[in-house]
């Protein structure tokens, strides 16, 4: 796992500055290659072949093809055996097989479809005078690029790109709008003007002679083609693929372990790891010292069950003081508060391991989130009631005591008046995209229009084509898989682990498991009793304790309300003051004033919105105004 940087001109000073900025991604070595067409830089985190022979940029035998690579190719040994007939290998790395696979492939698609791994790489073909760039099909590894007129620049992290002083630090309002909705920007355009992401499953070809992108295409796209097979067939297939995925991802020349939360997802990974490891697996869990809503006890129960070498980290509430550093590592604004515990857990884990396996991706593959149950409820029941009766019902909900509402949804009373208003919108809506986004959005379209001075595109309208009533569950899963899972969960994992030079691996997101999940009928994921992740629980039933398998999903609670009343109080007042808001000219102060006024009536609802605004303001100070900020 590494950091890569490149641009289409020769500037050694800029290359050094950008490499220094991403040094946390690769503390073990630094390498450069330049000619009149290109500058390439690499920071290495040694995982395979710890010798100097694995140094990058790396070339073919004739030094006509050069590569910089971030990631892991899990099937590289099989590919290497095929390529040995044509090439002499000088290292034991997976990097080298990419060079020779490129040489032997007739097309980018042919090459990329042979890879099982997580990656972002750039190949410089000095004969064709092109850059061939690709990102893994799931989007585990990040890749950002800047294109403006004749300049092209790319990097594993945006902070490396904006070391170029020629690039103006301007916000892109469409990216900001997406962030305010989803708590992470899921658009191709980032929150920075003229900086984009290479989307998962895409490759890009840059023509160095004509100084333009000559191709931007997808080589992999998830399609939901349901197969009429028995549940036993899918159980066995899923279990076999999980074992193979974990086995492949244990490939490492450095110590490895797993993040263990105490649920089905990470518990399954650790259970399978234990079967392949000759010594106890190193496991790590995190919680807050003063908070009861953690999974420390559940994780400890699993660790004892699997006889792991378990480590617990209890972090103090004043950990929020590190928030500016965390936001800086995230590159784009992201308001998922669990970034904080992951950041501290990664810092702690580095003492023991360089590679970590996690359980990300399960909820988006096998329907683990509450919103899927609500969408099913609307489709199968609520939608059959006429509009007027739904409006009567939604108005009655407002008078039901919170403790009764909590039986239907755990956090109803804490969401308060605004939460009930959102639920009413969900009940009354006949549009699938509106129903879904009203559940998951931090700011819905109406709230966002009241908040932002510039009006953004209507996301209800934009994403209406993404939701299909006939295959409703799978369309919701697909939306989250391509959106929030990538730009929230996976980027949160990558940026917070790489902040401390740790490689995060996600066995559930092996593309073969993802493709299998897309073939499984919806009722095997969310069954008729509304049991979530049903097929997974059945498949791994004998791998984890029944108490874990049957336990409801528990949300990791971060004490943001306490922070607003203590450590963040002064910062909140400064960054959301009328004076600063008016000077900034992005938000309408009236909406922020309304949040402060009505906060006690809808504490949990408004705390999420406040957290998004605070994280954005810290991001804005650091990245746009280029100022240091301290809590």
């Amino acid at each position: 796992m590494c950091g890569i940087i490149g641009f289409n001109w020769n500037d050694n000073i800029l290359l050094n500055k950008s490499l220094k900025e991403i040094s946390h991604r690769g503390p073990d070595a630094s390498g450069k290659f330049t000619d009149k067409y290109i500058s390439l830089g690499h920071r290495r985190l040694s995982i395979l072949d710890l010798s100097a022979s694995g140094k990058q940029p790396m070339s073919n035998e004739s030094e006509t093809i050069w590569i910089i690579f971030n990631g892991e190719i899990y099937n590289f040994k099989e590919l290497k055996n095929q390529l040995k007939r044509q090439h002499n290998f000088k290292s034991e790395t997976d990097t080298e097989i990419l060079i020779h696979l490129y040489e032997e492939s007739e097309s980018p698609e042919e090459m990329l479809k042979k890879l099982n791994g997580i990656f972002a790489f750039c190949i410089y073909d000095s004969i064709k005078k092109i850059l061939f760039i690709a990102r893994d099909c799931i989007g585990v590894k990040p890749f950002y690029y800047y294109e403006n007129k004749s300049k092209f620049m790319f990097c594993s992290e945006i902070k490396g790109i904006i070391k170029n002083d020629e690039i103006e630090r301007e916000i892109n309002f469409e990216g900001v709008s997406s962030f305010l909705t989803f708590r992470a920007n899921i658009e191709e355009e980032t929150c920075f003007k003229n900086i984009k992401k290479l989307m998962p499953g895409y490759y890009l070809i840059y023509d160095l002679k004509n100084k333009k992108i000559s191709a931007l295409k997808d080589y992999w796209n998830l399609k939901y083609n349901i197969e009429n097979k028995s549940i036993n067939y899918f159980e066995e297939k899923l279990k076999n693929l999980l074992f193979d995925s974990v086995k492949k991802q244990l490939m490492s020349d450095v110590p490895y372990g797993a993040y263990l939360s105490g649920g089905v997802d990470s518990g399954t990974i650790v259970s399978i790891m234990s079967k392949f490891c000759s010594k106890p697996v190193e496991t790590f869990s995190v919680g807050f010292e003063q908070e009861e809503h953690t999974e420390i006890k559940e994780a400890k129960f699993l660790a004892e069950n699997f006889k792991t070498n378990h480590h617990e980290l209890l972090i103090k509430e004043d950990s929020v003081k590190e928030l500016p550093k965390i936001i800086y590592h995230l590159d784009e604004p992201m308001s998922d508060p669990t970034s904080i515990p992951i950041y501290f857990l990664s810092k702690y884990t580095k003492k023991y391991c360089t590679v970590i396996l996690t359980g990300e991706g399960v909820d988006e593959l096998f329907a683990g989130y509450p919103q899927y149950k609500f969408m099913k409820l609307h489709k199968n029941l609520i939608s059959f009631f006429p509009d007027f009766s739904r409006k009567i019902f939604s108005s009655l909900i407002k008078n039901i005591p919170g403790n009764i509402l909590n039986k239907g949804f755990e956090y109803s009373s804490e969401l308060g008046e605004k939460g009930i208003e959102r639920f009413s919108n969900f009940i009354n809506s006949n549009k699938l995209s509106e129903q879904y986004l009203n559940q998951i959005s931090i700011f819905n379209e109406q709230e966002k229009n009241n908040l932002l001075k510039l009006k953004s595109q209507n996301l209800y309208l934009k994403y209406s084509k993404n939701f299909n009533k006939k295959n409703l569950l799978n369309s919701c899963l697909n939306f989250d898989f391509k959106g929030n899972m990538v730009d929230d969960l996976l980027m949160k994992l990558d940026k917070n682990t790489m902040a401390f030079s740790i490689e995060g691996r996600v066995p559930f997101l092996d593309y073969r498991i993802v493709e299998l999940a897309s073939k499984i009928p919806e009722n095997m994921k969310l069954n008729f009793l509304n049991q979530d992740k049903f097929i997974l629980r059945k498949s791994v039933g004998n791998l984890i304790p029944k108490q874990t398998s049957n336990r409801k999903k528990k949300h990791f609670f971060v004490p943001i309300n306490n922070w607003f009343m203590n450590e963040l109080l002064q910062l909140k007042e400064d960054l959301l003051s009328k004076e600063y808001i008016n000077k900034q000219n992005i938000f309408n102060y009236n909406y922020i004033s309304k949040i402060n006024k009505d906060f006690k009536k809808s504490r949990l609802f408004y705390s999420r919105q406040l957290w998004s605004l605070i994280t954005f303001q810290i991001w804005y100070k650091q990245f746009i105004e280029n100022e240091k900020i301290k809590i």
Side-chain angles (χ1 to χ4, degrees):
M1 207 57 59
C2 307
I4 61 176
I5 173 77
F7 41 88
N8 66 333
W9 66 93
N10 193 323
D11 186 338
N12 204 46
I13 294 174
L14 175 59
L15 192 57
N16 286 334
K17 282 165 62 178
S18 294
L19 281 170
K20 185 179 179 182
E21 196 66 18
I22 60 168
S23 60
H24 51 276
R25 295 190 74 90
D28 298 327
S30 179
K32 297 182 288 185
F33 172 83
T34 60
D35 66 15
K36 69 177 184 178
Y37 288 100
I38 191 72
S39 295
L40 299 176
H42 185 265
R43 296 290 319 202
R44 187 185 185 203
L45 175 62
S46 302
I47 303 292
L48 295 173
D49 188 354
L50 308 185
S51 70
S53 62
K55 189 177 179 182
Q56 299 182 46
M58 186 181 287
S59 72
N60 63 352
E61 298 94 330
S62 60
E63 296 191 349
T64 56
I65 309 291
W66 290 83
I67 187 171
I68 47 176
F69 165 55
N70 169 29
E72 299 292 343
I73 306 301
Y74 300 127
N75 62 335
F76 88 96
K77 288 184 178 178
E78 301 98 288
L79 294 169
K80 186 174 182 177
N81 287 334
Q82 297 167 20
L83 292 163
K84 273 182 178 177
R85 302 166 196 156
Q86 296 92 6
H87 298 276
N88 294 317
F89 284 80
K90 58 189 176 186
S91 75
E92 296 300 318
T93 68
D94 50 353
T95 306
E96 199 172 1
I97 67 110
L98 292 172
I99 299 171
H100 300 316
L101 197 59
Y102 170 80
E103 291 178 290
E104 300 300 325
S105 299
E106 292 184 4
S107 68
E109 289 88 353
E110 181 190 336
M111 173 191 173
L112 294 167
K113 285 181 180 178
K114 291 179 179 177
L115 303 178
N116 182 341
I118 53 177
F119 56 82
F121 65 76
C122 172
I123 290 175
Y124 169 43
D125 189 327
S126 66
I127 305 296
K128 294 181 180 179
K129 298 293 183 293
I130 62 167
L131 299 178
F132 169 51
I133 294 164
R135 186 180 179 193
D136 67 77
C137 57
I138 309 300
V140 180
K141 292 291 100 189
F143 188 95
Y144 304 97
Y145 67 95
Y146 166 86
E147 186 193 25
N148 192 20
K149 298 177 182 177
S150 62
K151 293 288 182 79
F152 180 75
M153 187 173 183
F154 64 86
C155 191
S156 298
E157 297 187 7
I158 293 173
K159 61 182 69 67
I161 295 176
I162 59 175
K163 293 308 288 185
N164 181 354
D165 294 331
E166 293 180 9
I167 298 174
E168 293 184 23
R169 297 178 178 229
E170 296 181 70
I171 67 168
N172 167 27
F173 275 93
E174 294 306 326
V176 172
S177 170
S178 179
F179 155 73
L180 290 170
T181 300
F182 301 110
R183 79 181 182 183
N185 170 30
I186 70 171
E187 298 293 310
E188 179 183 9
E189 293 185 7
T190 71
C191 291
F192 296 83
K193 209 168 188 181
N194 295 321
I195 298 178
K196 294 183 178 181
K197 308 161 193 167
L198 184 63
M199 298 302 275
Y202 270 73
Y203 71 87
L204 181 156
I205 295 175
Y206 189 82
D207 183 336
L208 289 162
K209 277 188 174 179
N210 296 308
K211 296 185 177 181
K212 65 177 185 179
I213 293 173
S214 59
L216 180 60
K217 296 179 181 177
D218 66 328
Y219 65 89
W220 185 89
N221 194 10
L222 184 60
K223 295 176 182 176
Y224 288 79
N225 297 316
I226 306 303
E227 291 186 354
N228 188 22
K229 307 272 188 181
S230 70
I231 192 164
N232 291 335
Y233 168 85
F234 286 118
E235 278 181 50
E236 193 65 24
K237 192 87 171 169
L238 176 56
K239 192 172 181 179
N240 290 339
L241 283 176
L242 270 173
F243 269 76
D244 191 57
S245 176
V246 171
K247 185 179 180 181
K248 277 183 166 64
Q249 296 191 31
L250 290 176
M251 170 187 75
S252 173
D253 293 334
V254 293
Y256 55 78
Y259 286 165
L260 183 61
S261 68
V264 173
D265 312 348
S266 61
T268 297
I269 298 301
V270 172
S271 174
I272 298 173
M273 287 175 74
S274 299
K275 297 182 187 307
F276 290 116
C277 297
S278 56
K279 57 183 181 180
V281 177
E282 301 285 336
T283 55
F284 304 85
S285 61
V286 63
F288 285 91
E289 276 187 352
Q290 306 300 320
E291 195 48 62
E292 59 181 8
H293 301 289
T294 64
E295 294 182 310
I296 287 286
K297 289 179 182 177
E298 291 85 352
K300 189 175 183 179
F301 167 76
L302 279 178
E304 289 171 353
N305 191 276
F306 300 133
K307 297 179 172 60
T308 72
N309 187 19
H310 191 55
H311 310 265
E312 292 179 356
L313 175 66
L314 289 173
I315 58 179
K316 297 177 181 179
E317 287 194 15
D318 65 0
S319 61
V320 75
K321 290 178 180 178
E322 294 290 300
L323 186 58
K325 285 184 184 178
I326 297 167
I327 289 171
Y328 191 71
H329 276 289
L330 292 172
D331 278 328
E332 289 196 88
M334 185 188 293
S335 61
D336 186 340
T338 59
S339 273
I340 294 174
I342 290 177
Y343 175 87
F344 282 99
L345 185 60
S346 299
K347 183 178 182 179
Y348 174 72
T349 299
K350 185 61 180 177
K351 300 173 189 174
Y352 304 92
C353 296
T354 303
V355 172
I356 283 292
L357 275 64
T358 77
E360 261 77 12
V362 173
D363 294 314
E364 292 81 4
L365 294 180
F366 302 109
Y369 293 133
Q371 60 259 31
Y372 306 136
K373 297 178 182 180
F374 283 115
M375 291 300 287
K376 184 178 176 181
L377 175 69
H378 201 294
K379 176 187 175 182
N380 294 339
L381 180 63
I382 296 172
S383 64
F384 291 102
F385 286 89
D387 290 353
F388 75 89
S389 62
R390 278 192 260 163
K391 286 178 181 176
I392 293 170
F393 175 65
S394 63
S395 64
L396 288 173
I397 289 175
K398 296 174 183 178
N399 298 313
I400 298 175
N403 60 334
I404 295 175
L405 286 174
N406 285 347
K407 292 179 180 179
F409 181 64
E410 191 176 353
Y411 303 104
S412 297
S413 60
E414 290 185 62
L415 286 167
E417 291 180 0
K418 282 295 292 183
I420 292 171
E421 179 187 310
R422 281 283 192 93
F423 188 63
S424 298
N425 292 342
F426 162 74
I427 290 172
N428 293 324
S429 177
N430 293 310
K431 297 175 182 176
L432 296 176
S433 61
E434 191 173 342
Q435 290 168 22
Y436 197 69
L437 294 186
N438 256 316
Q439 290 185 75
I440 67 169
S441 60
I442 304 299
F443 292 87
N444 67 15
E445 290 303 289
Q446 183 182 348
E447 291 155 1
K448 207 164 53 179
N449 286 336
N450 291 335
L451 174 69
L452 288 171
K453 286 198 169 179
L454 281 179
K455 302 306 175 191
S456 57
Q457 59 182 316
N458 187 317
L459 296 185
Y460 291 163
L461 190 61
K462 177 178 180 178
Y463 293 125
S464 59
K465 64 181 182 297
N466 293 74
F467 296 90
N468 182 307
K469 192 167 186 177
K470 185 179 178 183
N471 305 302
L472 181 59
L473 178 60
N474 280 337
S475 61
C476 293
L477 291 172
N478 193 39
F479 184 79
D480 286 342
F481 178 84
K482 291 181 175 178
N484 255 39
M485 187 194 75
V486 177
D487 289 300
D488 182 351
L489 297 188
L490 294 182
M491 290 304 96
K492 177 180 65 179
L493 177 68
D494 176 86
K495 303 296 175 60
N496 285 301
T497 53
M498 289 306 292
F500 301 100
S501 308
I502 291 176
E503 175 179 297
R505 296 180 179 176
V506 282
F508 278 110
L509 293 176
D510 182 308
Y511 78 92
R512 298 169 301 166
I513 295 174
V514 172
E515 289 180 348
L516 175 69
S518 72
K519 298 171 184 176
I520 298 174
E522 291 184 349
N523 62 2
M524 292 185 192
K525 298 172 186 176
L526 187 62
N527 74 357
F528 68 98
L529 293 174
N530 254 6
Q531 290 175 295
D532 56 30
K533 298 187 281 196
F534 181 68
I535 182 69
L536 177 68
R537 293 179 196 274
K538 281 186 67 66
S539 184
V540 303
N542 64 342
L543 297 177
I544 56 177
K546 282 187 178 180
Q547 298 98 307
T548 303
S549 181
N550 296 331
R551 189 165 59 84
K552 286 185 179 180
K553 184 178 181 67
K554 188 174 181 180
H555 294 277
F556 190 96
F557 186 84
V558 178
I560 57 178
N561 278 342
N562 293 357
W563 288 334
F564 285 138
M565 292 184 287
N566 297 290
E567 287 86 359
L568 288 179
L569 180 60
Q570 188 59 52
L571 185 73
K572 177 171 81 79
E573 290 179 356
D574 292 342
L575 294 182
L576 298 181
S577 68
K578 188 173 185 179
E579 181 184 10
Y580 184 67
I581 292 295
N582 290 338
K583 175 191 166 188
Q584 197 180 21
N585 204 32
I586 297 172
F587 304 120
N588 288 311
Y589 182 75
N590 288 345
Y591 190 87
I592 294 168
S593 179
K594 176 180 168 56
I595 291 178
N596 291 324
K597 181 184 173 184
D598 297 340
F599 185 79
K600 290 181 180 178
K601 297 178 185 176
S602 305
R603 192 178 296 274
L604 182 57
F605 183 91
Y606 282 130
S607 66
R608 293 163 75 228
Q609 292 195 342
L610 270 179
W611 186 254
S612 288
L613 290 171
I614 288 292
T615 53
F616 177 84
Q617 296 296 70
I618 295 172
W619 172 84
Y620 187 88
K621 277 280 186 187
Q622 293 185 119
F623 280 98
I624 304 300
E625 296 185 342
N626 201 18
E627 291 183 16
K628 289 188 176 180
I629 193 164
K630 193 174 182 180
I631 297 176

